[in-house]
Amino acid sequence: MVESDCLRVVVREYDDEKDCKEVVELERRCEVGPSAKLCLFTDLLGDPLCRIRNCPSFLMLVAETEVGQGGKKEIVGIVRGCIKTATCGKKLPRNPTSPYSHRPIYTKLAYILGLRVSPSHRRMKIGLKLVQKIEEWFRQKGAEYAYMATESDNKASVNLFTKKCAYSKFRTPSILVQPVFAHNVRVDKRVRVIKLTPLEAESLYTRRFSTTEFFPRDIGSILNNKLNLGTFLAINSNEEWAGLGRFLSSPTMSWAVMSVWNCKDVYTLEVKGASMVRRGFCKTSRLLDRALPWLKLPSVPDLFRPFGFHFLYGLGGNGPLAVKLTKALCGFAHNLAKEYGCGVVATEVSGNEPLMLGIPHWKKLSCADLWCIKRLLEDYSDGDVGDWTKSEPGLSIFVDPREL
């Protein structure tokens, strides 16, 4: 094996015309799931940029090295980065009694995703070089902070960012995954689900969630994206609905909201490494569920072939029945995912999220996540929020579906 000090690696911008096939093949060779569980592999549907194309500003870099005497070049690593403006705190209210008196504090925030290094070229500092190069681009674009997400038990990734790249462990959200059964999930008839227009959804999110950490300032772009399948508001069926304007000025006692993002049209996943016994059990559960749908058996979809999923984001709510209403929305989302032929529905929430109790999920498919953060521009004024990297976590976070 070539020593890292002798290996000549060039990091350059991705070229869609000449690099696409090789990058997709590299992606398929690299594990992207929790190492302690079944490994998830991603199929990018032939477009390595599909995970970042919807972001306001993005870049993809490749690490390339020469192979053999003929000067043939091989791509051995990739990284993606995107930049947006997002909430990092909130200003103190002038009128503490007003629910809308808090104002968000925004920062220019960069995100690192899709860092991959070929299995045959790991431990050669290629990942480090890719991160350093993408950070240079972040600084040139004026990003104040950069963050990344990884599985909490991925020691190699955590060590790279915290020990070699000076990132700090910041937030520990949970990825919650629910399989899509062969039967529809029953949605409580006492719950009314209202589909909001993108403009209505933008008004609701801006009024009620703009001070939540990581809330994107361009929320309208997300809600109007073709991958967004809609924003849904749940209230008790006996509550009067007089339109969003009335709701914003005088909300019902309890309510919940969420949006659905169609990841199925972006990339697919596939579970690898399952035993024949487990595969057989899962297949039997599906056959029984289809034959006896009235029993509502918790069947396991075929996750051992490429499958798509829907991502639930923007979850929020208020009132004593908010958890119950959230559960109803998740049931509604499950049935929508079944219509689209998805294998699972997934979401990501803060570890402190009060509504987590209303989100159905299987522990076998779910996992703990870790977000690490770094301040890139030290000469920024601390302003109202101070150094965000040292702030205490809030109850909720806003997970941007464009960064999955």
Side-chain angles (χ1 to χ4, degrees):
M1 181 176 290
V2 181
E3 294 293 332
S4 59
D5 291 340
C6 303
L7 184 68
R8 183 174 182 271
V9 177
V10 175
V11 175
R12 59 170 176 81
E13 188 171 344
Y14 166 78
D15 186 321
D16 201 21
E17 291 187 2
K18 71 176 185 178
D19 297 334
C20 179
K21 185 177 180 180
E22 193 173 353
V23 166
V24 170
E25 180 57 34
L26 172 62
E27 191 86 34
R28 286 173 177 164
R29 295 201 309 267
C30 296
E31 298 177 2
V32 298
S35 57
K37 299 177 182 288
L38 297 178
C39 296
L40 290 176
F41 285 71
T42 181
D43 174 5
L44 295 173
L45 304 181
D47 181 10
L49 292 174
C50 64
R51 295 178 63 188
I52 55 177
R53 284 192 188 277
N54 296 296
C55 298
S57 181
F58 62 87
L59 178 70
M60 181 171 176
L61 300 176
V62 300
E64 190 175 60
T65 184
E66 291 186 359
V67 180
Q69 300 291 329
K72 181 182 177 181
K73 295 181 179 179
E74 177 186 5
I75 293 177
V76 296
I78 54 177
V79 70
R80 302 171 180 88
C82 51
I83 302 173
K84 65 182 178 184
T85 300
T87 299
C88 62
K90 57 186 177 183
K91 296 180 181 178
L92 296 175
R94 295 180 179 179
N95 178 11
T97 62
S98 171
Y100 307 118
S101 55
H102 292 85
R103 294 188 178 183
I105 299 173
Y106 292 107
T107 188
K108 203 164 187 180
L109 178 65
Y111 181 59
I112 297 175
L113 72 161
L115 175 63
R116 308 280 185 263
V117 176
S118 171
S120 60
H121 287 78
R122 290 173 183 171
R123 301 182 184 277
M124 297 182 181
K125 300 182 181 179
I126 294 173
L128 175 61
K129 182 172 288 191
L130 284 165
V131 172
Q132 291 172 338
K133 288 294 184 180
I134 201 75
E135 284 182 348
E136 288 180 13
W137 180 73
F138 291 158
R139 292 187 179 93
Q140 291 171 4
K141 293 294 183 179
E144 183 179 6
Y145 296 96
Y147 79 109
M148 53 74 67
T150 187
E151 298 83 19
S152 58
D153 58 359
N154 188 336
K155 293 182 180 180
S157 180
V158 173
N159 288 340
L160 169 63
F161 282 92
T162 60
K163 295 183 179 180
K164 298 180 181 179
C165 300
Y167 282 71
S168 303
K169 296 180 180 180
F170 190 57
R171 301 291 182 255
T172 53
S174 298
I175 299 175
L176 308 179
V177 181
Q178 173 81 344
V180 175
F181 308 131
H183 64 270
N184 278 339
V185 169
R186 178 181 174 274
V187 178
D188 195 331
K189 294 182 178 180
R190 294 170 294 180
V191 176
R192 181 179 180 182
V193 177
I194 302 161
K195 185 175 182 179
L196 303 178
T197 67
L199 186 59
E200 289 175 330
E202 183 178 0
S203 297
L204 174 59
Y205 279 127
T206 302
R207 289 283 293 273
R208 304 293 297 199
F209 301 102
S210 63
T211 57
T212 302
E213 275 191 324
F214 296 94
F215 182 84
R217 197 169 194 172
D218 65 333
I219 182 66
S221 297
I222 300 174
L223 298 171
N224 283 285
N225 192 288
K226 64 180 181 180
L227 295 175
N228 189 63
L229 299 181
T231 299
F232 305 92
L233 179 70
I235 60 175
N236 277 338
S237 58
N238 59 1
E239 295 274 8
E240 180 184 1
W241 176 254
L244 185 70
R246 178 71 63 85
F247 176 83
L248 289 175
S249 61
S250 181
T252 57
M253 181 177 294
S254 296
W255 58 274
V257 67
M258 73 170 190
S259 296
V260 181
W261 189 262
N262 183 16
C263 294
K264 187 174 184 287
D265 287 351
V266 182
Y267 57 92
T268 58
L269 301 174
E270 182 180 356
V271 175
K272 297 286 189 179
S275 66
M276 293 303 295
V277 173
R278 180 169 291 185
R279 288 171 181 260
F281 169 78
C282 294
K283 183 176 182 179
T284 301
S285 73
R286 292 194 300 276
L287 293 174
L288 288 174
D289 195 4
R290 291 191 181 99
L292 307 169
W294 58 88
L295 293 180
K296 306 296 184 182
L297 298 174
S299 59
V300 183
D302 189 357
L303 306 181
F304 313 112
R305 298 178 183 178
F307 65 90
F309 73 101
H310 284 173
F311 183 75
L312 313 183
Y313 71 99
L315 280 77
N318 195 29
L321 299 179
V323 170
K324 169 191 168 184
L325 297 174
T326 298
K327 184 177 180 179
L329 284 176
C330 289
F332 176 88
H334 169 280
N335 297 341
L336 181 64
K338 182 176 176 291
E339 291 180 19
Y340 275 74
C342 293
V344 302
V345 289
T347 188
E348 187 166 16
V349 295
S350 165
N352 301 323
E353 177 57 62
L355 298 180
M356 189 187 298
L357 295 174
I359 304 174
H361 61 279
W362 282 19
K363 290 184 179 180
K364 284 284 186 180
L365 298 175
S366 305
C367 64
D369 209 8
L370 173 64
W371 290 9
C372 299
I373 197 168
K374 176 179 180 178
R375 197 173 192 184
L376 298 173
L377 301 178
E378 297 291 346
D379 57 341
Y380 264 51
S381 171
D382 282 348
D384 296 287
V385 73
D387 186 349
W388 189 21
T389 66
K390 300 175 182 177
S391 65
E392 294 295 322
L395 290 178
S396 303
I397 56 175
F398 195 99
V399 180
D400 192 329
R402 299 172 299 186
E403 298 176 353
L404 296 178

